[in-house]
Amino acid sequence: MPRRVAARWPFRPTARYSRNLAEALRTETVGGIIMLAATVVALVWANTPWSRFYDDLRTYEINPSWLGLDHMDLQHWASGGFLAVFFYIAGLELREELTHGELRDPRDAALPLIAAVAGVAVPALIFLAVSAGAPGAARGWAVPTATDIAFALAVLAVTFSRCPAPLRAFLLTLAVVDDLIAITIIAIFYTDRLAFVSLLASVLMIAVYGALQAKGVRSPWTYVPIAILAWYFMQRSGVHSTVAGVALGMLTSSRETPDDRRTNAEQADHVLRPFSAGFCVPVFAFVSAGVALSGSALGAVFGDRVALGVIAGLVIGKFVGVFGGAWAAVRLGLATLGDELQWRELAGVALLAGVGFTVSLLIGGLAYPDPAQFERVTTAVLIASLLASVAASLVFRHRVRQRARAEAFDEDG
């Protein structure tokens, strides 16, 4: 008997711990913390005497030239490959919102939808106003338009753990629609070259994927090669490959099964979310966030109108756009404010929308291929995301104290 236990011991804890780890990675808080840790490691490493090794690592090329994928270093694999998984998850979330969530009813969808559109337009206008006249500034107008889903939800979970469910749903819907708009912007405005044959091949693979989903095919091994081919041809086409990720996610079936098994969308989310949160997004954060934080480097950021435009767009523009869009929608009768939503808490979410990070860094890399300019933009995104997180946290902590006082008063009364 003891021998049998000893033989099984190395395997059983590993399986159990793997399941526990995967379950933890499915929560926004853990994923956000890992991404933040990867960012901190990159920042620390990039500001040590060993920073050259960090640069060598993220520019290390993995070029399967026989596949036609040239000049693919680790940074390009992270933004073009790993983030495709992240945007696949975003596509799944958007499909869920359209099928069962806030976007199912047009009246409920109006508030976050209008807020998201205004939250894209206003930051872009503020960026253009602040950066006007700077060389190449116009290419970066979309950098401050995106909200990072994982980071924003993690901050909300940590600072306002008892937030009303409709408030969290508002932020999730806002961020998902925001990402969909960002991906559309990338596809339209950041495609310098277009290979039509490859694009058509990718569209064909996406169509086959959607047709099989509609027919109710369940085997993941049917979809994996199709999804890889869709990504590959999209990458070859010149359109950013994350577009394929969103399209595939939105086409994944959420139709319930007679035997109460997970739907295709639920199963894909269950399997891929831990991989996205625990590997894909942290690796992207690690290879993108390592910028110099010396006095001269920070001085260059605050002396660069493009970088200042990014900070103003994310911190001021996102708040004005999201909160102002929601307020205007309610005042004009285009949307209603639910019973559990309050303007003060919506103001906190509007501030939190200024956490651009993942998608902002992605667009920044597409808009500014010059390493020096991209580094200043990256630093600006990090500064803005930090400011937005702190401001939102202060609002939420104040609301927590107010709610606690109100509950104590009700108990005493």
Side-chain angles (χ1 to χ4, degrees), residues 193 198-199 201-203 206 228-245 247:
R193 59 177 182 82
S198 294
L199 179 60
S202 180
V203 171
I206 293 170
I228 292 174
L229 287 173
W231 170 86
Y232 168 73
F233 286 119
M234 189 68 74
Q235 180 75 19
R236 291 287 308 273
S237 73
V239 178
H240 203 272
S241 55
T242 50
V243 175

Side-chain angles (χ1 to χ4, degrees), residues 51-348:
S51 60
R52 180 173 61 85
F53 297 105
Y54 171 78
D55 290 331
D56 290 343
L57 176 62
R58 66 177 177 178
T59 57
Y60 179 77
E61 293 193 356
I62 308 171
N63 290 326
S65 55
W66 56 278
L67 287 174
L69 299 176
D70 299 322
H71 308 296
M72 292 285 287
D73 56 22
L74 183 58
Q75 200 160 11
H76 283 92
W77 277 107
S79 62
F82 302 153
L83 276 196
V85 179
F86 169 79
F87 278 104
Y88 178 85
I89 300 295
L92 292 176
E93 290 175 335
L94 182 59
R95 174 66 180 259
E96 177 65 20
E97 290 296 320
L98 288 168
T99 308
H100 305 294
E102 293 292 311
L103 296 179
R104 180 180 57 178
D105 187 336
R107 291 175 299 178
D108 295 333
L111 188 66
L113 186 60
I114 294 172
V117 172
V120 169
V122 175
L125 293 174
I126 288 180
F127 171 85
L128 290 172
V130 173
S131 64
R139 281 193 58 82
W141 64 271
V143 174
T145 61
T147 297
D148 188 284
I149 298 176
F151 213 142
L153 288 174
V155 173
L156 180 66
V158 170
T159 60
F160 198 9
S161 58
R162 297 176 60 189
C163 75
L167 184 68
R168 185 185 181 281
F170 175 88
L171 175 59
L172 177 61
T173 306
L174 172 81
V176 169
V177 174
D178 189 291
D179 277 352
L180 179 63
I181 296 173
I183 279 294
T184 305
I185 290 172
I186 289 171
I188 296 174
F189 296 99
Y190 293 98
T191 300
D192 295 326
R193 59 177 182 82
L194 189 61
F196 282 102
V197 174
S198 294
L199 179 60
L200 288 174
S202 180
V203 171
L204 176 61
M205 291 296 101
I206 293 170
V208 170
Y209 179 96
L212 292 174
Q213 290 285 346
K215 285 182 175 295
V217 176
R218 303 263 317 162
S219 173
W221 299 113
T222 302
Y223 294 114
V224 169
I226 297 173
I228 292 174
L229 287 173
W231 170 86
Y232 168 73
F233 286 119
M234 189 68 74
Q235 180 75 19
R236 291 287 308 273
S237 73
V239 178
H240 203 272
S241 55
T242 50
V243 175
V246 169
L248 293 170
M250 290 183 64
L251 289 173
T252 304
S253 174
S254 58
R255 184 191 310 157
E256 296 183 358
T257 59
D259 54 2
D260 291 330
R261 288 188 298 171
R262 293 190 184 103
T263 66
N264 282 2
E266 289 170 342
Q267 182 63 20
D269 184 273
H270 183 80
V271 172
L272 290 177
R273 187 177 291 273
F275 178 60
S276 174
F279 179 76
C280 297
V281 175
V283 168
F284 174 78
F286 174 77
V287 300
S288 301
V291 294
L293 296 178
S294 63
S296 59
L298 292 175
V301 170
F302 289 103
D304 182 359
R305 278 181 293 172
V306 170
L308 291 175
V310 170
I311 295 173
L314 284 171
V315 178
I316 300 172
K318 271 295 184 181
F319 173 77
V320 173
V322 171
F323 188 79
W327 182 85
V330 172
R331 292 282 294 181
L332 295 173
L334 301 175
T336 57
L337 190 68
D339 295 336
E340 295 187 65
L341 289 178
Q342 298 184 19
W343 285 115
R344 292 180 183 179
E345 293 169 355
L346 275 182

